Amino acid sequence: MPFFDDVKTEAIEKRVPKLEKDKSASDEKVKNLEAENVVLKIEVQSLNEKVNGLEAGNAALNRVVQRLVTTNEQLVTSNCRIVC
């Protein structure tokens, strides 16, 4: 009585090359996805830096607008004292 079934062994041996090929293709896909992930991380980091810059610019503009509103309110008050 043989230790391994020859029919099953042959069937497995026939499947091995296909599985190796599939594994190789999968490994290549993983490498490509990892490379794409690196590129996407760099793009996200760049966009985050742009957002931070825009937020800083927006904060500066908000301060300017607030000063203009305050100046306008002072001018309106001063004008009412002269006209009214």
Side-chain angles (χ1 to χ4, degrees):
M1 182 167 138
F3 188 70
F4 293 106
D5 182 358
D6 289 338
V7 175
K8 288 183 180 179
T9 303
E10 286 178 22
I12 291 171
E13 287 174 349
K14 288 180 182 178
R15 288 182 54 204
V16 168
K18 181 184 182 316
L19 293 172
E20 287 174 342
K21 183 179 176 183
D22 291 347
K23 182 186 179 302
S24 177
S26 294
D27 289 346
E28 188 64 29
K29 286 179 184 178
V30 168
K31 286 179 186 176
N32 289 339
L33 289 172
E34 287 173 344
E36 185 178 335
N37 190 36
V38 169
V39 170
L40 290 173
K41 283 182 180 180
I42 292 169
E43 288 179 15
V44 167
Q45 183 179 3
S46 174
L47 290 172
N48 282 335
E49 290 171 1
K50 287 180 183 179
V51 166
N52 289 337
L54 291 171
E55 286 176 343
N58 188 37
L61 288 174
N62 284 340
R63 287 189 296 273
V64 170
V65 167
Q66 186 56 46
R67 282 193 301 260
L68 290 172
V69 167
T70 301
T71 302
N72 185 49
E73 289 171 350
Q74 291 169 347
L75 289 172
V76 167
T77 301
S78 175
N79 191 31
C80 278
R81 288 183 191 150
I82 295 171
V83 176
C84 297

